[in-house]
Amino acid sequence: MFKIKINNRMRCCSICKLPGRVMGIPVLRLSLVIILVLLLVAGALTNLLPSIKEDKILTLRREMKPQGKPPLDSFTLIMQTYNRTDLLLRLLNHYQAVPQLHKVIVVWNNVGEKGPDELWNSLGPHPIPVIFKPQTTNRMRNRLQVFPELETKAVLMVDDDTLISAQDLVFAFSVWQQFPDQIVGFVPRKHVSTSSGIYNYGGFELQAPGLVNGDQYSMVLIGASFFNSKYLELFQRQPAALHALIDETQNCDDIAMNFIITKHTGKTSGVFVKPVNMVSLEKETNGYSGMWHRAEHFLQRSYCLNKLVNIYDGMPLKYSNIMISQFGFPYANHKSKM
């Protein structure tokens, strides 16, 4: 403790004792001046640094690889397309916003024609990677290949003229996680046997003579559905007669998948989820019209049913009347018409 005399009065105060000297006001002022000078120098140096232009930032964003989701908690969209580039790009943009989507595989059936991948990539960056797979032949069953880029257990297959809301897809994927060995989709169909033993193909309106089964279905079409990726490999191992039938008709690969899954599991082939917002955009394109417009389409479907019964030595398909809806989950004996 030092005693300092100020104005002839004695006052006691505590001060810091430094080696050799006592810090006073002049020293503090000098320190503040030094700090101020350092701040000014730092600001000047910052202004001299090169700035990153907006186009450079965009380039960096495009080069960034999107962070993939865990394959068990996500799915891969497979979409086969032919002569519908305008509609394809619109759908790809829509599905980019779907949660849990891991990757998109576009099966490009315009043989000999360059795909729109350069255009798509030039308008990036996109949150979900899109892979275009050019084909050497235009075949319906191209979409059922075992693609090396496929990393997820779940496959979402959607036709190139169908827009399904993100809400519907998220809900249907949650349903598929409860039924991973079956097709979970939005379009049910059925078969009926006539008195002559010949099978017919149709929708809910189709009923077997003398039976009240209009609210039942025996197939779920894969063109708007989730299914297990292991069935792509299983499809490749099917009899050559099956592949030949699909190539002959350019049709019926979806019916065949229902046969294959029912025979493999012993269960009904699929589970029908009632969509809230699913629309066909076919009329909004000037490109290729879907096969179902052909006069012989439904005749071909019945033809395929009977051919498949011969290939597999019987009819394995089983009926179901279960419909799962976001507004009443689940219930049976529905009367919906699709």
Side-chain angles (χ1 to χ4, degrees):
M1 183 78 66
F2 291 91
K3 291 182 179 179
I4 302 177
K5 186 177 181 180
I6 302 178
N7 295 330
N8 298 321
R9 295 181 180 180
M10 300 297 294
R11 293 183 181 177
C12 296
C13 64
S14 298
I15 63 173
C16 297
K17 191 173 183 180
L18 298 175
R21 65 179 298 178
V22 176
M23 180 178 291
I25 294 176
V27 177
L28 290 174
R29 287 178 177 174
L30 178 61
S31 300
L32 291 174
V33 170
I34 292 173
I35 293 173
L36 181 60
V37 170
L38 289 174
L39 289 174
L40 292 174
V41 171
L45 291 175
T46 301
N47 290 331
L48 294 176
L49 292 175
S51 60
I52 301 178
K53 297 181 180 179
E54 290 184 1
D55 57 346
K56 181 65 176 177
I57 295 175
L58 182 58
T59 301
L60 292 173
R61 288 180 62 193
R62 288 179 178 175
E63 291 175 353
M64 290 175 60
K65 294 183 179 180
Q67 298 296 319
K69 304 178 183 66
L72 292 178
D73 297 326
S74 57
F75 54 87
T76 300
L77 168 60
I78 297 178
M79 181 179 292
Q80 182 162 277
T81 186
Y82 178 75
N83 279 357
R84 285 177 173 167
T85 303
D86 53 345
L87 191 52
L88 171 68
L89 294 174
R90 175 179 173 182
L91 291 173
L92 289 178
N93 183 69
H94 166 75
Y95 290 120
Q96 286 284 308
V98 175
Q100 299 170 291
L101 179 58
H102 178 68
K103 186 182 297 181
V104 179
I105 297 175
V106 176
V107 184
W108 182 255
N109 268 3
N110 284 44
V111 177
E113 181 180 328
K114 186 175 177 59
D117 43 330
E118 288 186 5
L119 172 60
W120 174 258
N121 293 330
S122 70
L123 298 175
H126 304 290
I128 306 298
V130 176
I131 299 170
F132 291 85
K133 303 286 289 185
Q135 303 299 300
T136 56
T137 56
N138 178 18
R139 296 189 303 195
M140 174 57 70
R141 62 185 175 100
N142 285 344
R143 61 180 176 174
L144 296 177
Q145 299 173 64
V146 181
F147 297 100
E149 297 86 357
L150 180 57
E151 300 173 306
T152 59
K153 184 177 180 181
V155 168
L156 167 64
M157 189 162 284
V158 180
D159 289 338
D160 64 347
D161 60 357
T162 302
L163 189 148
I164 308 170
S165 71
Q167 176 189 9
D168 280 316
L169 291 176
V170 169
F171 178 72
F173 182 54
S174 71
V175 175
W176 178 84
Q177 289 175 313
Q178 306 303 314
F179 302 94
D181 292 329
Q182 294 165 277
I183 303 169
V184 172
F186 303 104
V187 184
R189 292 291 182 263
K190 70 192 301 183
H191 72 284
V192 298
S193 177
T194 63
S195 57
S196 61
I198 303 298
Y199 291 97
N200 281 357
Y201 168 93
F204 283 132
E205 71 282 356
L206 184 66
Q207 297 190 34
L211 297 177
V212 182
N213 64 350
D215 57 347
Q216 293 185 331
Y217 60 94
S218 58
M219 293 168 275
V220 175
L221 303 189
I222 62 173
S225 74
F226 289 92
F227 59 85
N228 198 308
S229 60
K230 68 182 180 182
Y231 293 132
L232 295 175
E233 183 178 352
L234 186 59
F235 175 82
Q236 300 302 321
R237 301 201 304 263
Q238 297 306 299
L242 170 66
H243 297 158
L245 173 65
I246 297 171
D247 292 344
E248 170 198 344
T249 59
Q250 279 288 67
N251 203 335
C252 306
D253 62 332
D254 48 358
I255 299 177
M257 284 292 282
N258 280 268
F259 269 69
I260 293 166
I261 292 172
T262 295
K263 286 185 67 67
H264 180 74
T265 64
K267 306 174 184 177
T268 56
S269 61
V271 176
F272 170 39
V273 174
K274 178 70 173 178
V276 175
N277 187 7
M278 183 177 77
V279 295
S280 172
L281 302 179
E282 185 178 31
K283 293 181 180 179
E284 299 185 27
T285 178
N286 295 322
Y288 173 70
S289 295
M291 291 186 305
W292 68 275
H293 286 294
R294 300 184 304 191
E296 70 274 18
H297 175 69
F298 279 92
L299 290 175
Q300 276 189 337
R301 307 285 274 180
S302 294
Y303 169 79
C304 287
L305 270 178
N306 291 284
K307 284 290 187 180
L308 289 168
V309 168
N310 292 332
I311 292 171
Y312 288 104
D313 296 321
M315 169 55 76
L317 296 178
K318 304 175 185 292
Y319 287 108
S320 173
N321 64 352
I322 298 297
M323 179 181 76
I324 299 179
S325 169
Q326 298 181 54
F327 310 104
F329 171 2
Y331 65 94
N333 295 322
H334 58 84
K335 299 295 181 183
S336 250
K337 302 293 181 184
M338 290 191 67

